[in-house]
Amino acid sequence: MSQRAYNELWADVQQELGRLLTEELPAEPPLPEKDRVVFFQRVAVLYMRYIQIFRQLETIYDQVVHPQKRRVIRAILDGVIGRLLELKNEMVEKEFSEYHYMDDVLHDLKLRPEDLEIPIPRYFITECSKVLQERKSMVTDILKMVEVTASPEPLRVKDMSPEEAIKIIQIAERARQGRLRAKLNEESRNMNMMSRTKESGTAAIDMAAVCIQKVWRGYVERKRIKIARDEEMIFLGMTMDPKYQVPCPAEVTAQASEACTRMKQQEHEEEYQKSIVAVTKQLRDIEGHDISKTMKDQIRQWFIECRDATGSFPDYPDEEDGGSCLIFAEKNPQQLKEEIAAKEEEEANNKPKGKEEKTEKAKKVKGNAEEEEEEAGLKMLPSAFLSDLEAGNKNFVDFWQSRNESKNFIQRHEVELIKEEKRKIIEAEIRVQVDEQMRQELTEWKLVVDKDKGGKAKGNAKKKKGSKSGKKKKKEKDLTADRTLESLCQELVEQGLLKKPKNVGLQDYLGDYSYLGTTLRQYSIEPMPSLSDVRQVLTLYGILPLGSQEVHEKAPLIKAILLTGPAGVGKKMLVHAICNETGANLFDLSPLNTAGKYPGKSGLAMMLHIVFKVARLLQPSVIWIGDAEKMFYKKIPKEEKELDPKRLKKDLPKSLKLIKGEDRVLIVGTTKDPLSADIKTLCKMYSKIILIPRPDYGSRYILWKQLITKQGGEVTKALDLSSLAKISDGYTPGHMVQVIQSVVTKRRIMQLANRPLTAAEFVAPLAKIDPVFQEEEEAFKNWYAKTPLGKKRIKAATGKEEEEAPIKGKDAKNKGKK
């Protein structure tokens, strides 16, 4: 696509965004919605429409080369991402579930399940590529140093029982006898071939020719029938034409043009930065003196007008109030003087009215609470991003929508825009200098006038407002102030706390969409989420906030996520995927990994201090806690008492409280046995608990197909994937990977041309593995129902919440007395 096409697409997206903003910011606030289903449907439609805008804006931002347009698009894109997260939080608060099923909304909006997929912005990695490469190279260098300096472990002799020794000897002896037998068979075959070649005659030659003809004709006929069958299946639309499966020349050309566009982006950005420096210098040299002179003349004129109107010179506004900016407001000198005097009176009267203000505020809070009780219903929570979206949309409509760019075909930066922006900055800088000079000049004028009058000189010096010293916040002590970042990283790598994430992406976490979620809920059946839903939730909670600083600061803050589910569902893989998609560092604070390291209370405090300090300095960062249930054991098993798995139980939540909105640090815990932990303390630690189920039929079908292909196998008609997906009910993706690796070996791949893969080959190794039984899945469901969100969900489903809601205040007390 050309730059013109992307500009037109941007205009269409802004038009749709404008419609959404008019719906979300109406002239009159909407009445509270009493029906929870109707309210959720409204929020779900908004959520879907914002996803479509997000998908298009992400593509536009990735391909537009105009540097000033890209900044406007980036601000709008961050606003859309933040609004998406707010709507997700809204749906969770109103539906009491982390997973939402919107197949009915998809049907109403005439969208596909693929349109619900949330893309991961490419600028998360591309715009920080240099920084990320430096971090990766630093960590890899440290890892190499650690590997070289680490002493090799001594060889350990494994104790072997007599039965195991006999079994090994038997295997070796049988292998030797097998080799001898194969050698004898080969010799006998060679002897038979030699005897046959000696008896050569016309009859033998004719038989050989007939044999060759039969083999060749059979091969040709089978090939012709296969081609005819494939053509028929393509004609019926049952299979894909092979020419569409291979990247066509147009796709290759498009990919090359996208790469070329990114190169142009870098060139235009470098030129834009150079132009900013040159224009700023030019404005300071040429216009700086004139700006300063006009400001001084205006301020002097204001001095004279104030003296003529009031009989005395005014007090110069403080820097905190804006300095001389107040002078140029649309107010006459008398109004300005009255305003300054009113402020001084307010400051003088504020001190004794502490208790009265508190009582008034308390009354107002009570009054608001009563009003909220009267207005029963559901309302949208206040948004931190709608104002930014409105400003970005107004900027586009006022400036970029009607701008003629016929002469700017290459889409380079515009110098006039830089001048307008930098002129304001230079004016602000000059204004600070002018204010200092004019304050001095004003004091001199006052001294001269007061001497002429014979009065006492009035100083203009004001006492600085004392800082309202409340309780001083205790700053966190820096235990490693004298150490460099490299030394801290090296120590963490040596201790095995800072690790390199595995090279997996979120798109590698395969899974199908849940098509019957809404239908099941209509029949009061709570559906299990699909792996596609898990992928979407992790994108919203983990990847999008970590990838953008602007989004993380304003969006609902999520500090810790707990991934729970059976073994093999891909919890660790998701942790590594979050790190790779955002370029985050991976810190491992698993109980088994920290056992024996940094002993004692002081050592534990030092360990957490170093980890969180490096995580903040090298943000974004992910702190992974594997086997998170061990930290909150109800009863520690005897074999784990020496490891002390609960040593982080008290100190880690304290460190978690220190994470603020500007710190892009996320704690991710994984557990396969949450039932052994104390659920109250576990839920206090992790604000979001995500239950990952075993895959459904659709996800299993996709997993078998993709994993076999990835291993090097070939999926043909002989391989009945539907039956394989059916019989593998209860097995996790980890089990499937294990089975595929045992079946699709290098030797089996070489035999695929003559003997294609069949479903029966996977049944035997699959039967040796224990699946996730229904009882285990029900145990996970029952445990999740005891979490705070699970309890709310049960209350909402049974209708208890609606019954208990109106019983408040005096009625509740009277009910308690009865």
Side-chain angles (χ1 to χ4, degrees):
M1 288 173 68
S2 63
Q3 292 297 306
R4 182 179 178 181
Y6 284 115
N7 288 332
E8 290 173 358
L9 181 60
W10 184 27
D12 295 340
V13 171
Q14 287 296 144
Q15 192 174 2
E16 175 64 19
L17 182 61
R19 292 195 203 99
L20 267 176
L21 289 173
T22 52
E23 290 180 22
E24 288 218 74
L25 299 168
E28 295 181 1
L31 295 172
E33 181 60 55
K34 295 183 179 179
D35 191 347
R36 191 177 291 275
V37 177
V38 174
F39 182 82
F40 177 79
Q41 205 75 359
R42 188 191 303 165
V43 177
V45 171
L46 285 173
Y47 176 77
M48 286 294 302
R49 290 171 69 184
Y50 270 111
I51 286 178
Q52 304 315 307
I53 291 172
F54 174 33
R55 293 170 68 89
Q56 292 174 325
L57 273 177
E58 197 276 325
T59 306
I60 294 165
Y61 181 73
D62 186 58
Q63 291 299 308
V64 168
V65 298
H66 196 296
Q68 289 152 317
K69 284 182 185 176
R70 294 188 85 242
R71 278 159 174 74
V72 177
I73 296 167
R74 170 68 184 274
I76 298 169
L77 180 58
D78 286 340
V80 170
I81 293 172
R83 187 60 187 146
L84 258 181
L85 298 178
E86 287 178 341
L87 290 172
K88 172 66 179 177
N89 186 53
E90 192 87 42
M91 291 192 292
V92 172
E93 292 291 330
K94 300 301 183 288
E95 204 183 27
F96 310 117
S97 175
E98 299 291 355
Y99 299 104
H100 314 290
Y101 305 99
M102 293 179 280
D103 36 314
D104 53 342
V105 180
L106 282 173
H107 184 266
D108 294 341
L109 297 176
K110 296 180 180 178
L111 297 172
R112 305 168 299 165
E114 291 80 9
D115 296 327
L116 189 62
E117 195 72 29
I118 298 172
I120 297 168
R122 282 161 277 193
Y123 75 83
F124 285 179
I125 299 297
T126 55
E127 294 192 358
C128 306
S129 57
K130 290 183 180 178
V131 178
L132 295 177
Q133 284 176 2
E134 288 174 2
R135 288 184 192 173
K136 284 183 180 178
S137 61
M138 181 180 72
V139 174
T140 49
D141 292 343
I142 294 170
L143 282 169
K144 286 178 183 176
M145 287 171 58
V146 171
E147 287 175 3
V148 171
T149 54
S151 58
E153 293 183 1
L155 293 172
R156 295 179 181 177
V157 180
K158 187 181 177 182
D159 294 334
M160 187 182 297
S161 62
E163 291 80 9
E164 290 176 343
I166 292 168
K167 191 175 181 181
I168 291 169
I169 293 168
Q170 285 177 344
I171 290 168
E173 179 60 24
R174 284 168 185 166
R176 187 187 68 80
Q177 291 177 6
R179 287 193 293 272
L180 287 174
R181 196 178 298 110
K183 190 175 180 181
L184 290 171
N185 290 336
E186 188 179 359
E187 288 176 359
S188 64
R189 280 197 299 271
N190 292 337
M191 293 293 292
N192 292 332
M193 289 294 292
M194 288 173 65
S195 63
R196 286 178 185 176
T197 51
K198 289 178 182 177
E199 299 173 359
S200 59
T202 54
I205 294 170
D206 292 340
M207 288 293 293
V210 170
C211 183
I212 292 167
Q213 285 174 359
K214 281 198 291 187
V215 172
W216 174 249
R217 285 173 182 170
Y219 169 75
V220 170
E221 193 63 24
R222 284 192 297 273
K223 191 174 181 180
R224 187 183 64 78
I225 290 169
K226 185 178 181 300
I227 292 168
R229 189 184 291 113
D230 291 343
E231 288 175 353
E232 183 183 4
M233 296 297 284
I234 291 167
F235 176 73
L236 294 172
M238 300 295 288
T239 57
M240 179 76 74
D241 196 337
K243 68 180 181 182
Y244 296 118
Q245 294 176 354
V246 181
C248 61
E251 289 180 358
V252 175
T253 308
Q255 291 172 0
S257 67
E258 286 181 3
C260 183
T261 302
R262 292 192 184 93
M263 294 292 291
K264 284 183 182 177
Q265 282 178 359
Q266 293 179 359
E267 292 174 6
H268 289 193
E269 182 64 28
E270 290 172 2
E271 290 176 4
Y272 176 64
Q273 295 297 337
K274 290 177 183 177
S275 180
I276 287 174
V277 175
V279 168
T280 307
K281 187 179 179 184
Q282 184 183 2
L283 287 173
R284 278 204 182 97
D285 295 343
I286 296 172
E287 300 182 11
H289 179 70
D290 295 337
I291 292 170
S292 176
K293 188 177 179 183
T294 52
M295 279 184 186
K296 288 178 180 179
D297 292 341
Q298 288 173 349
I299 293 168
R300 288 190 187 105
Q301 183 66 29
W302 178 72
F303 291 163
I304 295 166
E305 287 177 3
C306 285
R307 177 167 173 77
D308 293 341
T310 61
S312 62
F313 287 113
D315 292 331
Y316 207 91
D318 293 333
E319 289 182 12
E320 296 173 359
D321 298 329
S324 57
C325 290
L326 290 176
I327 297 170
F328 305 116
E330 295 179 358
K331 295 175 184 175
N332 57 34
Q334 186 64 33
Q335 288 175 341
L336 194 62
K337 187 175 181 181
E338 289 174 1
E339 193 174 296
I340 293 169
K343 279 185 182 178
E344 289 177 357
E345 287 178 9
E346 284 179 9
E347 288 169 6
N349 296 331
N350 271 343
K351 290 180 181 178
K353 291 182 180 179
K355 293 181 181 178
E356 292 176 9
E357 282 183 0
K358 285 180 183 178
T359 53
E360 285 176 9
K361 284 181 181 178
K363 287 178 183 178
K364 285 181 182 178
V365 169
K366 288 180 181 178
N368 292 334
E370 287 173 4
E371 286 176 7
E372 285 178 4
E373 286 178 14
E374 289 173 5
E375 293 182 4
L378 300 171
K379 286 183 179 180
M380 296 280 279
L381 296 171
S383 171
F385 292 95
L386 281 176
S387 57
D388 297 340
L389 286 173
E390 197 175 17
N393 192 51
K394 189 176 183 300
N395 184 10
F396 171 78
V397 172
D398 294 346
F399 188 81
W400 294 104
Q401 189 175 18
S402 57
R403 193 167 184 82
N404 184 14
E405 291 189 300
S406 56
K407 294 181 181 179
N408 191 10
F409 179 75
I410 308 174
Q411 292 288 292
R412 294 186 184 276
H413 63 272
E414 299 188 22
V415 179
E416 290 302 319
L417 283 177
I418 299 174
K419 285 183 178 179
E420 289 176 13
E421 293 174 3
K422 292 299 170 184
R423 194 174 279 120
K424 293 176 184 176
I425 296 169
I426 290 169
E427 282 181 4
E429 292 174 358
I430 292 172
R431 189 180 300 283
V432 174
Q433 299 172 1
V434 169
D435 285 351
E436 291 178 2
Q437 295 173 7
M438 296 311 293
R439 277 195 191 90
Q440 185 67 28
E441 189 171 328
L442 180 61
T443 53
E444 290 173 2
W445 283 21
K446 284 183 177 181
L447 287 170
V448 171
V449 171
D450 290 335
K451 281 179 183 178
D452 292 342
K453 284 184 176 181
K456 291 182 180 179
K458 290 182 180 180
N460 193 29
K462 287 187 179 180
K463 291 182 181 179
K464 290 185 179 179
K465 297 175 186 177
S467 60
K468 295 176 183 179
S469 59
K471 291 182 180 178
K472 292 183 179 179
K473 293 182 180 178
K474 290 183 179 179
K475 291 185 179 179
E476 186 185 0
K477 290 183 180 179
D478 192 354
L479 303 176
T480 55
D482 57 338
R483 294 184 59 181
T484 61
L485 178 62
E486 287 76 11
S487 66
L488 293 174
C489 289
Q490 184 172 351
E491 183 178 337
L492 291 176
V493 172
E494 287 173 356
Q495 295 292 334
L497 300 178
L498 177 58
K499 295 184 176 180
K500 193 175 180 182
K502 294 178 182 176
N503 190 19
V504 290
L506 199 67
Q507 71 275 4
D508 298 328
Y509 192 76
L510 305 170
D512 199 10
Y513 179 74
S514 180
Y515 296 94
L516 296 174
T518 307
T519 309
L520 290 172
R521 277 188 172 174
Q522 287 173 356
Y523 291 98
S524 301
I525 300 171
E526 186 62 26
M528 285 299 285
S530 67
L531 300 186
S532 174
D533 298 326
V534 175
R535 189 170 61 236
Q536 187 177 10
V537 168
L538 260 293
T539 305
L540 288 166
Y541 288 162
I543 294 174
L544 294 182
L546 279 181
S548 173
Q549 183 69 36
E550 292 78 9
V551 174
H552 194 273
E553 287 178 359
K554 294 183 180 180
L557 184 60
I558 298 171
K559 298 181 180 180
I561 301 173
L562 180 66
L563 306 179
T564 178
V569 292
K571 299 183 289 295
K572 294 177 187 175
M573 179 185 175
L574 287 169
V575 175
H576 291 280
I578 291 171
C579 294
N580 284 312
E581 297 292 355
T582 57
N585 302 290
L586 180 63
F587 298 87
D588 186 1
L589 285 183
S590 304
L592 294 178
N593 190 43
T594 57
K597 299 172 183 176
Y598 295 94
K601 288 185 178 181
S602 58
L604 182 61
M606 178 63 75
M607 179 180 72
L608 289 174
H609 170 75
I610 294 173
V611 167
F612 278 87
K613 181 180 178 179
V614 175
R616 287 193 190 97
L617 293 173
L618 297 178
Q619 55 182 286
S621 298
V622 173
I623 299 174
W624 172 44
I625 301 172
D627 296 326
E629 79 281 355
K630 294 181 185 296
M631 199 184 297
F632 304 99
Y633 264 145
K634 294 175 185 174
K635 187 178 179 181
I636 303 174
K638 290 181 180 178
E639 61 271 12
E640 294 185 17
K641 280 187 178 179
E642 293 181 0
L643 301 175
D644 192 13
K646 296 175 72 172
R647 65 190 296 236
L648 290 173
K649 182 180 177 180
K650 292 182 181 179
D651 293 335
L652 188 61
K654 292 177 184 176
S655 302
L656 183 64
K657 289 178 182 177
L658 299 174
I659 297 175
K660 299 175 183 177
E662 60 268 17
D663 300 326
R664 285 187 291 160
V665 178
L666 180 68
I667 294 178
V668 183
T670 57
T671 174
K672 60 184 177 182
D673 185 22
L675 284 79
S676 62
D678 181 25
I679 192 166
K680 287 185 180 179
T681 51
L682 190 70
C683 292
K684 282 181 183 178
M685 171 80 182
Y686 298 97
S687 57
K688 294 290 179 183
I689 298 174
I690 298 169
L691 179 61
I692 304 176
R694 56 185 186 175
D696 55 2
Y697 171 80
S699 299
R700 291 196 300 273
Y701 187 92
I702 293 171
L703 281 164
W704 280 116
K705 186 177 181 180
Q706 297 294 333
L707 292 174
I708 288 170
T709 307
K710 190 177 179 180
Q711 186 68 15
E714 188 178 350
V715 178
T716 60
K717 293 172 186 176
L719 181 58
D720 189 358
L721 284 176
S722 180
S723 300
L724 194 58
K726 189 71 178 173
I727 64 171
S728 59
D729 186 14
Y731 289 92
T732 62
H735 295 153
M736 295 179 191
V737 170
Q738 186 179 343
V739 170
I740 289 167
Q741 287 176 351
S742 65
V743 173
V744 187
T745 57
K746 289 182 180 179
R747 185 180 179 186
R748 187 66 185 85
I749 292 168
M750 293 170 66
Q751 298 172 353
L752 289 176
N754 300 323
R755 189 163 63 91
L757 287 168
T758 59
E761 296 180 60
F762 297 92
V763 174
L766 199 65
K768 295 177 183 177
I769 302 171
D770 291 331
V772 179
F773 294 105
Q774 192 70 30
E775 293 80 5
E776 188 177 349
E777 189 171 2
E778 288 297 325
F780 275 103
K781 279 186 181 180
N782 295 333
W783 176 85
Y784 189 77
K786 296 175 185 176
T787 61
L789 197 64
K791 289 177 181 177
K792 289 179 182 178
R793 179 73 190 165
I794 292 170
K795 283 183 180 179
T798 54
K800 287 182 181 178
E801 190 182 36
E802 294 176 4
E803 293 173 8
E804 292 174 3
I807 302 170
K808 289 181 180 178
K810 294 179 181 178
D811 298 335
K813 290 180 181 178
N814 294 332
K815 189 180 177 183
K817 289 177 183 178
K818 288 178 184 178

